[in-house]
Amino acid sequence: MIKKNQKNEIYLKVRLAEHLDCDIEDIEQGYDESTFNIGDQEYLMLTDEEADQRAKEYIKDSVWAFVPSFLASHTGIDEEIIKHLQDKCESANDALLNSINDIDSFISDAIGCDGRGHFMSSYDGHEHDLNNNLFLYRIN
């Protein structure tokens, strides 16, 4: 008998194989239920809701790395002060995050400017819409 998560895995592998034009046997489950490996390539496959949530988390964790002018427009803090804080890299993240006036607007604007793939796909910044509420990101 096929369990629900096994059926899901098979379905996702089929969708990935169709998109990449490869054999399903070449696809291995990755480190979690959303990641898949094909040789040395690693992919992340998410629903729209899952992708939104992961992008939101990534953006919140990397506020320190945003362009100073973008941060200034969402915090009211002078760009030169932001640049000085950014010299501290990740250590400045909480201070900058807590300075954002409207985090939902910040996240929406970030995704609107760069696309969700920019935050999800560390390999090439692309998001591939596989239809039926599935999105694919190459992550290595």
Side-chain angles (χ1 to χ4, degrees):
M1 175 169 209
I2 296 177
K3 296 180 182 179
K4 184 179 180 192
N5 61 343
Q6 289 175 316
K7 186 176 182 183
N8 222 14
E9 179 185 339
I10 293 167
Y11 173 74
L12 295 176
K13 283 182 175 182
V14 167
R15 297 300 309 276
L16 184 57
E18 289 171 349
H19 179 75
L20 298 175
D21 194 27
C22 69
D23 293 329
I24 193 170
E25 294 83 20
D26 296 336
I27 301 171
E28 297 177 3
Q29 186 72 49
Y31 57 84
D32 67 18
E33 64 186 20
S34 299
T35 57
F36 298 90
N37 300 315
I38 302 168
D40 63 352
Q41 300 173 9
E42 188 173 15
Y43 293 89
L44 178 64
M45 193 178 304
L46 302 169
T47 65
D48 193 41
E49 184 177 287
E50 291 168 335
D52 280 346
Q53 185 59 39
R54 287 205 192 189
K56 182 177 183 176
E57 291 168 12
Y58 180 87
I59 289 167
K60 285 181 171 183
D61 289 343
S62 62
V63 167
W64 69 274
F66 275 76
V67 174
S69 61
F70 188 81
L71 283 167
S73 71
H74 284 275
T75 62
I77 299 173
D78 183 81
E79 285 183 47
E80 290 304 315
I81 294 171
I82 290 171
K83 289 177 187 176
H84 180 70
L85 285 169
Q86 288 178 321
D87 287 340
K88 300 189 181 306
C89 298
E90 290 94 342
S91 298
N93 200 69
D94 286 345
L96 289 168
L97 179 61
N98 292 327
S99 300
I100 295 171
N101 298 323
D102 180 347
I103 191 64
D104 292 329
S105 176
F106 179 83
I107 291 167
S108 178
D109 286 354
I111 292 171
C113 287
D114 293 325
R116 199 167 51 186
H118 174 79
F119 303 103
M120 303 299 298
S121 173
S122 55
Y123 179 76
D124 60 9
H126 291 114
E127 174 180 77
H128 302 275
D129 185 348
L130 302 183
N131 298 319
N132 297 319
N133 194 35
L134 280 178
F135 296 87
L136 181 67
Y137 310 90
R138 181 156 176 203
I139 53 177
N140 85 330

